[in-house]
Amino acid sequence: MAPAQSKMVMPALLRERTIRGVVSQLTSLYLNNRTRISRAVYITLLVALINRVRNAIAEQKAASVREAVQRAKKVGTTAAVDDDDEAASIKKKKKKVELNREFFCSLLRLLRIVVPGWRSKETRLLISHSIFLVIRTLISLKVAAMDGAIVKALVKGNGREFLKRIVWWMLIAVPATFTNSMLSYHQAELSLRYRTRLTQYIHDKYLSQLTFYGISALDDRIKNADQLIAVDVAKFSNSLAELYSNLAKPLLDMTIYTLSLSKSVGGEGVVFMSLLVQLSANVMRALTPPFGKYVADEARLEGEFRFQHSRLIDHAEEVALYAGHEAEKDTLDKGYFTLIKHVNYILRRRFYHGFMEDFIIKYFWGALGLMLCSVPVFVKIPGQAVMNMGDRTESFVTNRRMLLGASDAFGRVMFSYREIMELAGYTSRVSSLLEVMDDIQSGHFEKKLVSSSGTEDNAAVLKGRGKVVESKDIKFIDVPIISPNGDVLVKALSFSLKQGDHLLVVGPNGCGKSSLFRILGGLWPVYGGTVYKPPFTDIFYIPQRPYLSRGSLRQQIIYPDGLRTMRSKGITDADLLGVLRMLSLEHLVDLYPEGWDAEAEWRDVLSGGLQQRVAMARLFYHRPRYAILDECTSSVTLETEKVMYENAKSLGITLMTVSHRRSLWKYHSRILQFDGQGNFVFTKLDAEKRLQLEDEKEDLEVLLRQVPEIERRIEELTAA
């Protein structure tokens, strides 16, 4: 059997020697041309990178062209269908949150707000933060080398060298911990600075040109501006500050660690492992759920849930009177469980994604790293000296430490993709707020209209815009009056009012009285015709339920002025007390020890009648040329009403009143009467004659109501 076995073994040995020879020749050929091969690989990677950048730029240009074409088509379609419901639904279609050109444009706009210039404090913080990031990476390299030296001393059994390395390791911990603390401080400070800049910018736009009113009353694209300003701006700022640290440091670590590793284990191994890592990263990216969209939807649902609670608080009295707590509970529960259902869905997606991410990043890439670190042990790198056991151990530990740092950095880069998607969600919501505010300030509104006559009939009126001219007197020329839901209440209203002509506006509910004053106050756009009116500061509005601000008693009288403005006008507290005496309100100053500086929740402290008298005192303080009084005496006595109107007229204020109380007729000289059918009458008001006519009308109505009873009695008498 021995000769036969030897015959079988010989071919196997020959094949093994042949394979070894081929491998040896290839290895020798590679080592002899290693420099040229490395240069070719690096040049190829550089060309591939340049080509990829060119393709990305070309895709962005093509995307911008497609968006321009779509916008042109949308404009054409909208004009063709006259704001049809389908076109409106297209406009209101939710935007998909993704890393596209729109996201980068929105982010660039927000960056210009939070970092206004190179000399700003935010720029100095970013530069300081970047310096500490570089220092932290260099310290990490030093610590990796020191770890290898400590293990080398331990393997050699050199106790003195070991203790010396430990002392140095403890000393370098001082700047390392200081650097980490500074990085945390810079990140928190940047987040705070970003939020401050963005909040101030939004407040400036939100509280100018009545934008806050337009968002809530004239446009329905944003339901919860308070949520966006108070919560989403903070989340965006925090996410942006975190992203810089979580993206800049890993990229820096990857670059420095990769260069150091390539010197130790050869650039080819690093390139080969990078290709495998890139391949697995592409797989992960393809399987990553759209977390940015999830975050945006979660923030929207959170805002809607909060808005429902705010709405219940605002209308608590009405809900209580209707005993609607069960219906409101169902609404709140539905909003909450919709939110929780979405959050649970996100948690499930994150569970599966985290499982995949941890396996690939921690274990698959870890196995590749161990293979890379073993290269100096099993393969002789050209130009590297012969190493003993201690040198090999030091090299392995140092390389592994750097590899773990690079792997951790790459993992954070991969994790940052999810953070970027979350940032995209916050960016989308904050930028949508800015876009809507820009549209409102430019006079563009988007509101879903539910007109009783159909928006098609009113489309021409709704699309038009009239002209507003500043004037001393008030004059409307063919101005359409539109209701909030899109109904044309009056197609062409025309009247004129000079200073001193006190106007009474009457008519049934929903006839256009409030809409008229909203146009006059500049709250609503003018859809046609021409409006001549005084500047905004010359018109003062007092609603049925006046607004009482937070602050002192003095601030309730001088609102919206501040104490400094009041002093600049030369008005003293004694003058304010005189105003209160006109309305028998001087006792309010004596109710509190602080006097004028007393602060309270005045809406709860004062009764409805006292609130209306405080609002009238506010009117007497400002003394405007015109005053709009919307049922503002409904909770006061006739005697108090008389004092209020007579003092207002004596101060030279032209009154425009909405009221059904006959007692007010005598204070007005003009009347504008709507019939609720689109018609109106504007004429002089003879209060005495009108009262006589109204009394006669009521007497006749009483007689008419008695007619059926008289007819029935006549029939009974006839039958008898």
Side-chain angles (χ1 to χ4, degrees):
M1 296 293 294
Q5 289 179 355
S6 63
K7 289 181 180 179
M8 295 174 62
V9 170
M10 287 299 292
L13 291 174
L14 289 173
R15 284 196 300 272
E16 184 177 351
R17 289 176 180 175
T18 304
I19 293 173
R20 286 183 178 178
V22 171
V23 172
S24 178
Q25 290 178 1
L26 289 175
T27 303
S28 177
L29 182 63
Y30 169 73
L31 293 176
N32 292 332
N33 298 277
R34 182 170 179 264
T35 303
R36 297 176 182 175
I37 295 174
S38 298
R39 289 175 180 173
V41 171
Y42 293 145
I43 291 173
T44 303
L45 291 176
L46 180 62
V47 171
L49 178 62
I50 294 173
N51 190 44
R52 188 168 183 177
V53 171
R54 288 180 58 191
N55 290 336
I57 295 174
E59 289 177 1
Q60 292 297 329
K61 290 182 178 179
S64 63
V65 172
R66 286 195 299 270
E67 288 179 6
V69 172
Q70 289 176 357
R71 282 196 297 269
K73 288 182 178 179
K74 185 180 289 187
V75 171
T77 304
T78 306
V81 300
D82 290 331
D83 290 332
D84 190 83
D85 291 339
E86 183 178 356
S89 65
I90 292 174
K91 285 185 177 182
K92 296 185 182 291
K93 191 176 180 180
K94 294 179 182 177
K95 296 179 181 179
K96 185 178 179 181
V97 179
E98 55 186 8
L99 300 183
N100 52 16
R101 184 174 181 271
E102 184 179 356
F103 160 70
F104 288 108
C105 290
S106 300
L107 182 61
L108 182 60
R109 180 187 180 184
L110 295 177
L111 286 175
R112 288 171 179 164
I113 297 172
V114 298
V115 186
W118 293 107
R119 297 183 179 180
S120 63
K121 189 169 184 179
E122 290 79 10
T123 303
R124 294 195 295 270
L125 275 172
L126 284 171
I127 294 173
S128 177
H129 194 48
S130 303
I131 293 173
F132 277 101
L133 286 174
V134 175
I135 293 174
R136 182 68 185 90
T137 302
L138 296 177
I139 290 176
S140 299
L141 279 176
K142 183 63 177 177
V143 169
M146 292 179 69
D147 283 349
I150 290 173
V151 175
K152 177 182 178 181
L154 189 63
V155 171
K156 286 184 175 182
N158 190 338
R160 184 177 180 180
E161 183 69 18
F162 177 76
L163 291 175
K164 180 181 176 182
R165 296 294 182 183
I166 289 293
V167 170
W168 278 108
W169 194 80
M170 291 297 295
L171 289 175
I172 204 172
V174 175
T177 52
F178 174 77
T179 302
N180 289 334
S181 298
M182 286 300 295
L183 289 174
S184 300
Y185 168 77
H186 278 94
Q187 180 176 313
E189 186 68 18
L190 279 171
S191 175
L192 187 61
R193 287 281 173 182
Y194 292 160
R195 183 181 182 184
T196 301
R197 289 280 189 185
L198 195 52
T199 301
Q200 289 177 346
Y201 180 84
I202 291 175
H203 280 178
D204 290 342
K205 293 182 70 69
Y206 187 66
L207 296 171
S208 65
Q209 301 182 33
L210 302 176
T211 305
F212 64 94
Y213 178 81
I215 287 179
S216 61
L218 301 176
D219 197 289
D220 58 5
R221 283 175 287 179
I222 293 179
K223 300 293 185 183
N224 46 356
D226 56 339
Q227 163 87 9
L228 288 169
I229 298 172
V231 178
D232 286 358
V233 167
K235 290 184 176 179
F236 167 80
S237 303
N238 191 47
S239 179
L240 182 62
E242 286 182 351
L243 184 65
Y244 179 72
S245 297
N246 297 341
L247 198 59
K249 187 178 185 303
L251 290 174
L252 184 64
D253 289 350
M254 283 175 55
T255 303
I256 295 178
Y257 286 146
T258 302
L259 291 175
S260 301
L261 275 173
S262 63
K263 294 178 181 178
S264 179
V265 301
E268 301 83 352
V270 174
V271 170
F272 180 71
M273 194 188 83
S274 300
L275 292 176
L276 291 177
V277 168
Q278 181 65 35
L279 179 63
S280 58
N282 290 336
V283 174
M284 287 175 57
R285 188 177 295 110
L287 298 177
T288 299
F291 287 111
K293 179 180 181 299
Y294 295 162
V295 169
D297 290 341
E298 181 183 356
R300 176 179 56 82
L301 292 173
E302 287 275 10
E304 291 176 358
F305 181 61
R306 178 180 174 180
F307 174 74
Q308 289 167 0
H309 273 283
S310 300
R311 191 172 181 275
L312 177 61
I313 293 172
D314 293 339
H315 303 281
E317 183 177 350
E318 293 88 342
V319 173
L321 291 174
Y322 280 112
H325 49 277
E326 289 295 335
E328 294 299 324
K329 183 177 181 297
D330 291 341
T331 301
L332 291 174
D333 287 345
K334 182 180 178 182
Y336 176 73
F337 287 117
T338 302
L339 170 63
I340 293 304
K341 181 180 179 182
H342 182 69
V343 172
N344 285 328
Y345 176 74
I346 295 176
L347 291 177
R348 288 194 300 271
R349 298 303 299 269
R350 280 182 174 165
F351 168 76
Y352 296 120
H353 181 260
F355 174 78
M356 173 193 68
E357 216 169 28
D358 285 346
F359 176 78
I360 293 178
I361 292 176
K362 290 184 178 179
Y363 297 99
F364 178 69
W365 291 355
L368 292 176
L370 289 173
M371 294 176 62
L372 185 65
C373 290
S374 66
V375 169
V377 177
F378 299 108
V379 179
K380 184 181 183 305
I381 304 298
Q384 202 173 63
V386 178
M387 295 187 294
N388 55 29
M389 180 62 69
D391 295 332
R392 289 178 180 176
T393 304
E394 179 183 9
S395 175
F396 180 82
V397 171
T398 302
N399 291 339
R400 177 155 176 76
R401 181 64 184 265
M402 288 192 295
L403 182 69
L404 288 175
S407 178
D408 178 66
F410 195 83
R412 278 180 289 160
V413 171
M414 293 303 302
F415 283 126
S416 67
Y417 180 74
R418 183 170 60 192
E419 296 173 357
I420 292 174
M421 293 303 298
E422 292 181 354
L423 176 65
Y426 299 134
T427 303
S428 173
R429 287 179 60 78
V430 176
S431 62
S432 67
L433 174 64
L434 298 181
E435 290 171 4
V436 171
M437 288 195 296
D438 289 340
D439 287 347
I440 289 174
Q441 291 186 351
S442 64
H444 173 70
F445 308 102
E446 291 186 19
K447 188 176 180 64
K448 188 175 182 180
L449 302 177
V450 189
S451 173
S452 58
S453 60
T455 55
E456 295 84 359
D457 300 334
N458 306 331
V461 178
L462 294 173
K463 289 171 62 178
R465 284 293 182 272
K467 186 168 63 171
V468 179
V469 180
E470 188 172 310
S471 172
K472 180 181 178 181
D473 301 322
I474 295 175
K475 188 175 184 180
F476 278 56
I477 302 177
D478 297 331
V479 178
I481 305 298
I482 312 295
S483 71
N485 63 353
D487 281 324
V488 179
L489 303 177
V490 179
K491 289 187 177 181
L493 176 65
S494 298
F495 74 94
S496 60
L497 195 69
K498 294 183 178 181
Q499 192 168 359
D501 292 340
H502 305 289
L503 176 67
L504 178 68
V505 182
V506 295
N509 292 333
C511 66
K513 302 188 297 292
S514 298
S515 301
L516 166 65
F517 289 136
R518 285 171 182 147
I519 293 174
L520 196 57
L523 301 181
W524 281 14
V526 179
Y527 289 102
T530 305
V531 175
Y532 294 87
K533 68 184 188 68
F536 184 77
T537 54
D538 287 349
I539 302 177
F540 203 82
Y541 178 75
I542 302 181
Q544 182 176 3
R545 191 178 181 185
Y547 172 70
L548 299 180
S549 64
R550 294 184 63 183
S552 65
L553 176 61
R554 183 189 298 104
Q555 288 175 315
Q556 307 313 308
I557 308 301
I558 66 176
Y559 183 85
D561 286 352
L563 181 59
R564 187 174 299 175
T565 305
M566 185 191 89
R567 300 283 189 240
S568 66
K569 290 181 178 180
I571 299 177
T572 63
D573 289 344
D575 297 328
L576 295 183
L577 189 61
V579 171
L580 294 186
R581 285 198 185 99
M582 292 183 190
L583 300 161
S584 302
L585 292 174
E586 64 273 13
H587 65 281
L588 293 179
V589 182
D590 301 326
L591 285 178
Y592 299 92
E594 299 89 349
W596 285 107
D597 296 318
E599 294 189 7
E601 193 62 47
W602 300 105
R603 183 175 291 277
D604 300 331
V605 171
L606 303 179
S607 64
L610 286 176
Q611 290 183 33
Q612 290 187 340
R613 286 153 70 184
V614 167
M616 191 60 71
R618 190 181 292 169
L619 174 67
F620 294 168
Y621 161 78
H622 285 285
R623 298 189 181 187
R625 291 170 55 194
Y626 292 88
I628 300 172
L629 310 179
D630 190 356
E631 297 283 0
C632 69
T633 60
S634 58
S635 299
V636 300
T637 63
L638 292 177
E639 184 61 32
T640 304
E641 179 185 86
K642 178 182 178 182
V643 172
M644 293 165 68
Y645 270 81
E646 287 182 349
N647 279 288
K649 293 179 70 174
S650 66
L651 292 173
I653 303 173
T654 301
L655 306 177
M656 294 178 287
T657 304
V658 176
S659 179
H660 298 297
R661 300 178 73 168
R662 292 186 177 185
S663 57
L664 294 176
W665 291 3
K666 57 187 175 184
Y667 303 113
H668 300 84
S669 57
R670 297 285 188 277
I671 185 170
L672 178 62
Q673 183 171 3
F674 297 98
D675 64 356
Q677 303 298 320
N679 302 312
F680 69 93
V681 174
F682 175 72
T683 184
K684 289 184 178 181
L685 174 62
D686 187 341
E688 203 172 316
K689 182 178 180 181
R690 190 175 183 88
L691 282 172
Q692 293 176 356
L693 294 175
E694 286 291 328
D695 290 338
E696 183 179 354
K697 178 183 175 183
E698 288 183 358
D699 293 339
L700 292 174
E701 287 177 348
V702 171
L703 293 175
L704 286 174
R705 284 195 294 269
Q706 294 176 354
V707 168
E709 180 64 25
I710 295 173
E711 290 178 346
R712 186 185 63 79
R713 182 58 183 163
I714 291 174
E715 289 178 358
E716 289 178 354
L717 294 174
T718 303

